Amino acid sequence: MHGGAKWTLISGAALMALGILLMVIGAASAPDEMNVDPTEGVVFSGTSGELSVTPWNYLSVFAQVDSCEEIAMSVDVSGDPYPYFYDFCDASGYDYGDAYYRADGWLHVADIVPNDDYEFQEGTMTLDITSNVEVSVIKDPTGTSIAAAGFGFF
């Protein structure tokens, strides 16, 4: 084996080992749950009304309830259910129980994610929110959004 090829192989193996080490360190330092304050960064609060969103929004919905049995919520666009409303309290839904934020006295009940809507690329969209209890809709507490974090420029 030529000297250049040998050193390329050695440096590649060393970089791979370093990458694995950094991945393990990063995973070990990540919190299991993220505590948030649903009263900061509020974009909507109440039991019913309209919410204007942009394509890059990633919004989290909280309610001051003890369990999912206490809340019934819907998000509509032009009279139809909004497909990018992920209801963590709908037992028949795909996202049931997927809440990942924690807040004292609040329950993370849903996410509203226009960022997932590939047909909505510019401008604003108005969503109609209806709930049987008061909800707090906040901007994603991680910054710009979990979904957009991989792009590196947001």
Side-chain angles (χ1 to χ4, degrees):
M1 183 181 286
H2 295 288
K6 189 184 309 181
W7 286 110
T8 300
L9 183 63
I10 291 170
S11 65
L15 286 173
M16 182 180 70
L18 179 63
I20 291 170
L21 177 65
L22 291 175
M23 184 181 70
V24 169
I25 292 171
S29 66
D32 291 335
E33 298 174 346
M34 184 172 175
N35 290 319
V36 299
D37 183 358
T39 61
E40 292 182 11
V42 175
V43 295
F44 175 86
S45 181
T47 56
S48 66
E50 294 182 342
L51 172 64
S52 182
V53 296
T54 64
W56 289 103
N57 283 145
Y58 193 106
L59 307 170
S60 297
V61 183
F62 290 85
Q64 287 185 304
V65 294
D66 294 324
S67 71
C68 282
E69 286 78 31
E70 299 175 47
I71 185 168
M73 183 177 175
S74 67
V75 176
D76 299 326
V77 61
S78 302
D80 295 321
Y82 186 56
Y84 303 101
F85 168 61
Y86 304 117
D87 188 349
F88 305 141
C89 287
D90 180 5
S92 65
Y94 175 76
D95 303 306
Y96 181 70
D98 282 347
Y100 44 89
Y101 290 129
R102 302 290 176 252
D104 290 334
W106 296 80
L107 185 63
H108 182 198
V109 295
D111 281 340
I112 302 170
V113 191
N115 192 25
D116 286 353
D117 189 349
Y118 297 112
E119 295 176 10
F120 177 44
Q121 296 295 319
E122 59 184 39
T124 60
M125 177 181 358
T126 301
L127 302 176
D128 297 312
I129 297 177
T130 306
S131 176
N132 65 330
V133 298
E134 188 165 331
V135 296
S136 178
V137 180
I138 65 171
K139 294 179 182 175
D140 183 64
T142 60
T144 55
S145 80
I146 291 173
F151 291 115
F153 52 83
F154 288 99

